[in-house]
């Protein structure tokens, strides 16, 4: 169980955001991710530098200021402040906030322009092309779709004028060599590397790097011709080195080559082509990685002001919390692919992953330690298969976590932590501390088993708290505080590669803790809807799950009221008691081949053996791996039925909300499999 050997420094950047737009979810995502990666590298013992800021020059900013009727400088000052405040509210801890109107930045840009000009890599000439103001760049014919910019859906403006041009083509071969041979992980994930190599298969054109002041004067003046200002991308990209006080700053020599640029998929070309060739021309070593993520969409498509579907991360944080927001965006988006943000999936993840799973582990383990051992962490001498299984899951989780963090499969890193959270909850149910506690005063074996159970619960929790700290700093700090475990220890362990089992010291007193993630209203409401028989009897718990639609079991006498009573919409108590409802625990879950709806579950109903096989139509709403360990309500006396050729020996209860989503009925994790529901 070791963390990767840490190189000593880590420098991460976000794009500097255009000040004609708000700090919306997409920008909040990149910035949050940079914060997560910074904290992760600090955990590994690396000295970190995190740069974000605002891109304040160029045509669209000048147009936006004009629209507001204020001078551009006043406009950019106001919006830069909005960004700072937004990141403060999201508790982003950057090292520096850079603005391209900073005098220091202007001087660095002028210095680089002069150097590249002096060495003959900038020439003056006629330049013409299709300019998209939204992208602030010329688009090639190949990039246009039906004559429009695919990102902004606007017809670019044809611009032809005398301008200064950067000999970008000169560096094409060196760039290809770098991406393919020198640093194969320069651009990641792979799909974006391939996209860039695709672009580089065509001859690279030189890059127009100026705008005549007569047309647009909101920019940095060229040091060698005062009639022109620098093209906004040539200016903006250089922020990444100004931020480290290039050329002479200590930070530049310390951090530059450990640099990871985080960007969205919209600005790959400027970062993967313009920027490295600019650096080559300026004689500056290249950065380490360009890491590209995809887009957040909404259920109604791309976020756009006109559709009114722009998600404001600040509102989400206010309604939930920083940690919930951070967890959701990092877990929900498959890194590199588009993700859909919806409050529905946010609530589902909140209730399933945080309230039910992590929240319960925290409250159960602390409560039981208090109830059975006065809050003192016991020593664990007893070691049986269940303990080995949990420890081996802990080992797998730690290895997977570091592997996925390193490969930037961020969502998977979190998934691997939740595999341990699940396993710890399952472990508790299997060791049944409440049963051991009945005899542990007189039976030394029961006492040893109870000590081991409590220790293993708490130690799993400690490990989880350390691993989630980059993602959920507040939650992690609370859990470590509950465990009386110092956060510095957590950090030190990762540095020395000792994240492993057994660091929690027996004898310390843990706190009682508090509920970290109370279940949210929405789900509560669903559950109530289900238990209210008058509202929608056709969608009640026994008929809602999709399994029922195709299952002959739905018509079994046990679940069906008599004809008279059914027509009256009521059943007698005797009829109700014919339905045997039991608590079940999901032991295994997998998709059913060729079925979009069905999951095949193995469910422990306290009957011994391997548990029952139950098919459930919840595949669209739950990932199999998120179900393992979960307690569910089961109709236990349904006549078995075959679905897709597989036998189903019962039915899992779920409720359907107004939008058609299915949500499993919540069962307290303290209830043992087989407990009767009535
Ligand atoms: N100013 C340039 C960047 C210059 S960097 C030297 C720019 N600014 S921007 O304000 O348009 O920001 C673009 C970035 O915002 C994307 O690359 C991405 O990081 C983030 N996002 C904007 N919308 C997004 C989504 N819908 N989803 C995810 N991230 C997106 O381009």
């Amino acid at each position: 169980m070791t963390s990767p050997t840490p190189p000593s420094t880590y420098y991460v950047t976000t794009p500097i955001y255009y000040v004609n737009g708000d700090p919306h979810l997409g920008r909040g995502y990149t910035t949050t991710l940079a914060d997560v990666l910074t904290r992760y590298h600090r955990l590994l013992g690396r000295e970190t530098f995190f740069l974000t800021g605002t891109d304040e020059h160029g045509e669209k900013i000048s147009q936006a200021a004009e629209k507001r009727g204020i001078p551009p400088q006043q406009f950019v000052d106001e919006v830069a402040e909005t960004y700072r405040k937004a990141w403060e509210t999201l508790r982003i801890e950057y090292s520096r906030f850079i603005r391209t109107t900073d005098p220091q930045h202007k001087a660095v840009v002028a210095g680089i322009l002069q150097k590249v000009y002096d060495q003959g890599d900038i020439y003056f000439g006629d330049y013409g092309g299709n300019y998209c103001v939204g992208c602030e760049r010329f688009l090639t014919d190949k990039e246009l779709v039906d004559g429009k910019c695919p990102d902004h859906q606007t017809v670019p403006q044809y611009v032809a004028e005398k301008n200064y041009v950067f000999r970008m083509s000169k560096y094409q071969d060196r760039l290809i060599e770098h991406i393919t041979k020198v640093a194969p992980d320069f651009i990641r994930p792979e799909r974006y590397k391939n996209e860039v190599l695709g672009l580089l298969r065509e001859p690279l054109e030189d890059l127009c790097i100026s705008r005549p002041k007569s047309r647009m004067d909101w920019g940095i003046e060229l040091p060698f011709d005062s009639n022109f200002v620098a093209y906004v991308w040539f200016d903006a990209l250089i922020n990444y080195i100004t931020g480290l006080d290039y050329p002479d700053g200590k930070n530049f020599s310390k951090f530059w080559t450990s640099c990871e640029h985080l960007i969205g998929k919209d600005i790959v070309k400027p970062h993967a082509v313009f920027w490295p060739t600019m650096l080559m021309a300026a004689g500056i070593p290249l950065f380490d990685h360009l890491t590209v993520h995809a887009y957040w969409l909404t259920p109604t498509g791309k976020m756009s002001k006109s559709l009114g579907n722009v998600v404001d991360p600040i509102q989400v944080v206010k309604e939930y919390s920083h940690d919930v927001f951070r967890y959701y965006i990092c877990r929900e988006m498959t890194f590199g692919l588009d993700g859909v943000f919806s409050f529905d999936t946010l609530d589902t993840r909140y209730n399933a992953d945080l309230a039910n799973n992590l929240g319960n582990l925290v409250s159960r383990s602390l409560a039981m330690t208090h109830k059975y051992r006065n809050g003192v962490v016991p020593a664990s001498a007893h070691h049986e298969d269940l303990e080995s299984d949990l420890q081996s899951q802990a080992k797998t989780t730690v290895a997977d976590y570091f592997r996925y963090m390193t490969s930037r499969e961020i969502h998977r890193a979190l998934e691997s932590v939740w595999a341990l959270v699940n396993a710890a909850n399952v472990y508790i149910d299997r060791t049944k501390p409440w049963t051991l506690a009945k005899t542990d005063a007189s039976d030394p074996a029961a006492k040893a088993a109870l000590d081991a159970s409590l220790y293993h619960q708490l130690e799993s929790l400690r490990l989880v708290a350390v691993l989630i700290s980059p993602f959920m700093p507040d939650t992690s700090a609370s859990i470590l505080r509950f465990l009386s475990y110092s956060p510095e220890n957590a950090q030190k362990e990762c540095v020395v590669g000792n994240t492993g089992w057994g660091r929690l010291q027996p004898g310390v007193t843990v706190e009682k803790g508090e509920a970290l993630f109370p279940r949210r209203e929405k789900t509560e409401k669903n559950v109530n809807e289900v238990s209210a028989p008058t509202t929608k009897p056709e969608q009640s718990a026994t008929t809602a799950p999709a399994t029922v639609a195709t299952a002959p079991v739905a018509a079994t006498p046990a679940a069906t009221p008599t004809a008279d009573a059914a027509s009256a919409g009521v059943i007698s108590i005797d009829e109700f008691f014919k339905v045997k409802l039991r608590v079940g625990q999901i032991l295994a879950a997998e998709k059913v081949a060729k079925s979009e709806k069905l999951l095949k579950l193995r469910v422990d109903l306290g009957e011994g053996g391997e548990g029952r096989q139950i098919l459930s139509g919840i595949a669209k709403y739950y990932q199999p791996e998120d179900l393992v360990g979960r307690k569910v309500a089961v109709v236990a006396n349904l006549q078995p039925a075959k679905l897709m050729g597989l036998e189903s020996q019962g039915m899992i209860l779920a409720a359907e909300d107004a939008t058609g989503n299915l949500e499993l009925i919540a069962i307290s994790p303290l209830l043992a499999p087989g407990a009767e529901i009535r």
Side-chain angles (χ1 to χ4, degrees):
M1 287 190 218
T2 55
S3 51
T5 325
S8 59
T9 60
Y10 176 70
Y11 173 41
V12 68
T13 68
T14 72
I16 45 172
Y17 303 107
Y18 285 130
V19 287
N20 64 329
D22 303 323
H24 60 57
L25 171 69
R27 293 168 181 152
Y29 174 67
T30 319
T31 315
T32 301
L33 212 55
D35 190 73
V36 166
L37 289 172
T38 302
R39 289 171 192 269
Y40 169 71
H41 285 91
R42 250 191 265 146
L43 193 66
L44 293 183
R46 284 167 82 165
E47 198 178 342
T48 59
F49 197 97
F50 165 11
L51 183 74
T52 188
T54 39
D55 192 352
E56 305 185 353
H57 289 128
E59 210 160 323
K60 65 176 170 188
I61 308 302
S62 133
Q63 286 173 1
E66 207 171 286
K67 226 167 144 188
R68 282 268 311 274
I70 54 174
Q73 189 62 53
Q74 184 186 338
F75 175 72
V76 300
D77 286 349
E78 276 177 24
V79 189
E81 216 29 52
T82 315
Y83 271 90
R84 274 186 208 271
K85 288 215 180 92
W87 300 154
E88 203 177 299
T89 313
L90 296 189
R91 293 264 299 281
I92 303 289
E93 290 179 13
Y94 51 77
S95 314
R96 178 169 176 184
F97 188 97
I98 190 162
R99 300 178 54 189
T100 52
T101 51
D102 287 347
Q104 182 197 7
H105 177 67
K106 291 184 188 171
V108 173
V109 172
I112 290 186
L113 280 165
Q114 189 68 55
K115 178 173 194 292
V116 180
Y117 180 72
D118 289 346
Q119 75 194 28
D121 276 348
I122 291 176
Y123 60 92
F124 193 56
D126 286 314
Y127 198 95
N130 288 310
Y131 195 76
C132 169
V133 178
C135 297
E136 288 279 22
R137 67 181 180 90
F138 288 99
L139 302 183
T140 62
D141 290 346
K142 273 207 160 166
E143 285 175 294
L144 298 179
V145 177
D146 299 330
K148 290 184 183 165
C149 162
D151 279 351
H152 297 94
Q153 289 301 312
T154 48
V155 178
Q157 202 186 332
Y158 189 79
V159 178
E161 57 196 12
K162 280 218 172 300
N163 260 314
Y164 286 89
V165 184
F166 166 49
R167 252 181 246 288
M168 192 158 73
S169 53
K170 179 174 156 188
Y171 297 96
Q172 176 163 11
D173 291 344
R174 227 177 107 188
L175 180 59
I176 296 173
E177 167 95 2
H178 189 81
I179 298 173
T180 52
K181 302 213 173 84
V182 180
D185 59 353
F186 185 57
I187 303 168
R188 57 190 183 182
E190 196 78 9
R191 61 176 55 228
Y192 298 105
K193 172 177 166 176
N194 294 336
E195 183 185 311
V196 173
L197 289 173
L199 285 176
L200 292 172
R201 268 197 282 277
E202 306 289 320
L204 201 54
E205 285 176 17
D206 288 346
L207 181 68
C208 175
I209 52 124
S210 68
R211 294 291 173 272
K213 279 191 185 167
S214 55
R215 187 162 65 78
M216 211 286 300
D217 68 353
W218 182 239
I220 300 174
E221 191 177 286
L222 296 191
F224 42 83
D225 190 337
S226 60
N227 292 316
F228 289 83
V229 292
Y231 163 51
V232 63
W233 273 105
F234 203 96
D235 156 355
L237 288 160
I238 290 174
N239 93 85
Y240 296 135
I241 53 174
T242 310
L244 294 178
D245 304 325
Y246 173 85
D248 303 319
K250 269 204 311 258
N251 282 338
F252 184 72
S253 47
K254 191 166 180 185
F255 289 105
W256 172 243
T257 46
S258 65
C259 170
E260 171 170 21
H261 294 311
L262 278 185
I263 59 163
K265 65 179 182 180
D266 51 333
I267 50 176
V268 169
K269 187 172 178 182
H271 281 83
V273 181
F274 303 175
W275 182 222
T277 54
M278 283 165 64
L279 287 165
M280 286 172 188
I284 300 171
L286 300 193
F287 48 92
D288 227 13
H289 296 292
L290 178 65
T291 305
V292 186
H293 64 75
Y295 258 36
W296 275 108
L297 308 173
T298 72
T300 44
K302 231 177 149 172
M303 283 191 285
S304 98
K305 272 192 187 155
S306 55
L307 285 177
N309 61 357
V310 178
V311 179
D312 176 2
I314 294 178
Q315 284 315 318
V316 183
V317 162
K318 282 189 179 149
E319 201 176 316
Y320 294 76
S321 72
H322 305 103
D323 280 20
V324 173
F325 172 69
R326 291 166 75 101
Y327 173 75
Y328 172 78
I329 57 174
C330 294
R331 175 67 185 81
E332 185 68 17
M333 186 184 251
T334 299
F335 198 87
L337 301 179
D338 286 343
V340 177
F341 181 100
S342 81
F343 285 95
D344 228 54
T345 53
L346 171 54
D347 281 339
T348 303
R349 282 223 175 270
Y350 177 91
N351 282 330
D353 300 359
L354 301 179
N356 263 3
N357 226 342
L358 179 59
N360 263 326
L361 179 62
V362 174
S363 52
R364 299 163 89 186
S365 53
L366 296 174
M368 287 192 275
T369 309
H370 274 271
K371 191 165 174 194
Y372 305 135
R373 293 292 180 262
N374 291 323
V376 178
V377 177
S380 167
H382 167 97
H383 193 103
E384 302 279 327
D385 285 354
L386 290 176
E387 282 72 37
S388 298
D389 288 351
L390 185 61
Q391 287 190 31
S392 111
Q393 177 59 57
K395 200 171 172 180
T396 308
T397 285
V398 173
D400 286 351
Y401 174 87
F402 285 117
R403 182 156 50 89
Y404 290 134
M405 286 306 280
T406 306
S407 62
R408 300 294 185 264
E409 291 169 274
I410 305 293
H411 59 293
R412 291 204 158 163
L414 278 175
E415 196 178 42
S416 64
V417 178
W418 258 256
L420 177 57
V421 177
N422 260 326
N425 273 320
V426 171
Y427 169 82
I428 296 177
D429 296 331
R430 294 204 171 140
T431 52
K432 296 189 176 62
W434 44 90
T435 309
L436 296 169
K438 287 182 189 155
T439 52
D440 87 312
S442 54
D443 173 1
K447 181 185 174 303
L450 181 55
D451 282 347
S453 173
L454 294 172
Y455 185 84
H456 279 72
Q457 301 170 30
L458 296 167
E459 177 59 356
S460 304
L461 196 54
R462 180 196 66 81
L463 207 44
V464 167
V466 173
L467 299 179
I468 63 172
S469 65
F471 296 90
M472 308 177 82
D474 292 352
T475 306
S476 166
S478 298
I479 298 175
L480 293 176
R481 196 187 68 238
F482 297 158
L483 294 172
S484 307
Y485 194 82
S486 100
E488 289 79 48
N489 273 350
Q491 210 149 328
K492 268 190 236 134
E493 277 161 34
C494 278
V495 181
V496 296
N498 192 6
T499 330
W501 193 263
R503 306 278 300 170
L504 191 64
Q505 292 307 307
V508 298
T509 303
V510 299
E511 290 182 19
K512 285 193 171 146
E514 69 219 30
L516 293 177
F517 305 106
R519 275 187 77 80
R520 282 188 66 88
E521 183 85 358
K522 178 184 160 256
T523 317
E524 229 85 89
K525 216 169 71 205
N526 290 343
V527 171
N528 291 342
E529 273 169 17
V530 170
S531 56
T534 47
T535 42
K536 267 184 163 184
E538 73 281 8
Q539 283 194 355
S540 73
T542 47
T543 58
T547 37
V548 183
T550 48
V553 289
T556 57
T560 311
T562 62
D564 283 354
S567 62
V570 289
I571 56 170
S572 71
I573 190 86
D574 288 344
E575 281 165 332
F576 173 72
F577 281 133
K578 285 183 190 162
V579 184
K580 297 270 177 270
L581 293 173
R582 299 272 184 274
V583 170
Q585 177 161 37
I586 300 179
L587 301 175
E590 62 183 83
K591 294 206 157 116
V592 171
K594 298 201 192 116
S595 169
E596 279 180 16
K597 286 184 180 172
L598 290 180
L599 288 185
K600 186 172 92 176
L601 308 171
R602 182 133 305 273
V603 183
D604 176 4
L605 285 179
E607 299 165 323
E610 286 186 326
R612 295 202 201 177
Q613 172 169 295
I614 298 181
L615 299 178
S616 181
I618 53 172
K620 284 195 196 144
Y621 312 96
Y622 291 89
Q623 293 303 316
E625 60 274 19
D626 292 338
L627 288 171
V628 176
R630 196 170 163 139
K631 299 274 172 64
V632 286
V634 179
V635 181
N637 61 337
L638 275 178
Q639 191 179 334
K642 276 211 164 164
L643 301 171
M644 307 283 294
L646 296 165
E647 186 172 89
S648 182
Q649 301 161 330
M651 185 166 73
I652 309 282
L653 298 189
E656 187 175 348
D657 71 11
T659 63
N661 272 331
L662 288 188
E663 171 96 23
L664 290 172
I665 303 294
I667 296 289
S668 160
L670 291 172
L671 289 167
E676 218 171 300
I677 304 174
R678 39 178 54 225

